[in-house]
Amino acid sequence: TQLLEQSPQFLSIQEGENLTVYCNSSSVFSSLQWYRQEPGEGPVLLVTVVTGGEVKKLKRLTFQFGDARKDSSLHITAAQPGDTGLYLCAGGATSGTYKYIFGTGTRLKVLA
Amino acid sequence: DTAVSQTPKYLVTQMGNDKSIKCEQNLGHDTMYWYKQDSKKFLKIMFSYNNKELIINETVPNRFSPKSPDKAHLNLHINSLELGDSAVYFCASSQGLPGISGNTIYFGEGSWLTVV
């Protein structure tokens, strides 16, 4: 069974600080996605990475896919209160089963 | 216009009842899903349909039965509700088979089910 463990599980920081969220697995994934979910809403896609070692930037957010396609990280620079939410990574199965496997989630709170 | 809409948003019901959650997407996608998010915010796939054909059926009690009358709709019917069924149920859709090429999943706003 493919599992995705995220760390930390909870994170509370002050506005302006930097942070990194990790998404780790012992399995290889065809692609890796990051979603953000705000209270009362469904997850919304932030980014998709498909190539091992790939780095993508979205304003203050930097996403990296591990070289072996087993892990990923999300780095936020100068966090803002608007970044508050639940961050979920999701791995695409490599073959056989057509599904995304979601990580355990990281709840981020950025204090003004 | 809402891309993926599901109803009802909130549902409180007694144990043993049967209830349905409806979902519609207007994105023209060919794949639809039902996910369950528990109190710890863990999001788990329950079912997936591609062009009305069931392609994913995770280990879910057979009290849960999805129905896809057409590509734009995927409803979830739950029989004999139990306390442990309390959760948020998300409908979602994507274009193409899931897990391949990083297809974007579009989620509905969720249906909060509380069984008392």
Side-chain angles (χ1 to χ4, degrees), chain A residues 89-111:
Chain A
C89 62
T94 48
S95 64
T97 56
Y98 299 106
K99 63 182 178 182
Y100 293 99
I101 297 164
F102 278 81
T104 48
T106 295
R107 294 195 221 188
L108 171 66
K109 186 169 186 177
V110 182
L111 305 170

Side-chain angles (χ1 to χ4, degrees), chain B residues 3-93:
Chain B
V4 181
S5 59
Q6 49 185 112
T7 57
K9 186 169 177 102
Y10 300 100
L11 183 56
V12 181
T13 188
Q14 291 187 326
M15 278 195 304
N17 284 350
D18 302 338
K19 291 294 177 185
S20 293
I21 307 173
K22 295 185 176 181
C23 179
E24 176 182 5
Q25 55 95 3
N26 63 6
L27 297 168
H29 289 164
D30 58 6
T31 306
M32 294 187 72
Y33 315 77
W34 277 108
Y35 282 86
K36 178 180 180 180
Q37 189 171 47
D38 60 24
S39 58
K40 294 184 178 180
K41 302 301 182 183
F42 186 59
L43 196 62
K44 188 173 181 181
I45 183 77
M46 299 174 68
F47 303 102
S48 177
Y49 274 74
N50 178 255
N51 286 314
K52 295 170 51 182
E53 180 183 346
L54 181 66
I55 57 171
I56 294 175
N57 185 353
E58 292 293 282
T59 307
V60 177
N62 57 16
R63 298 181 293 103
F64 290 79
S65 54
K67 282 187 172 54
S68 182
D70 55 57
K71 286 199 309 182
H73 295 84
L74 180 60
N75 304 321
L76 182 65
H77 187 76
I78 315 170
N79 289 325
S80 303
L81 279 157
E82 299 177 357
L83 292 177
D85 296 333
S86 296
V88 184
Y89 292 85
F90 285 98
C91 178
S93 73

Side-chain angles (χ1 to χ4, degrees), chain A residues 77-99:
Chain A
T77 303
Q80 299 177 359
D83 296 327
T84 294
L86 174 69
Y87 288 81
L88 296 163
C89 62
T94 48
S95 64
T97 56
Y98 299 106
K99 63 182 178 182

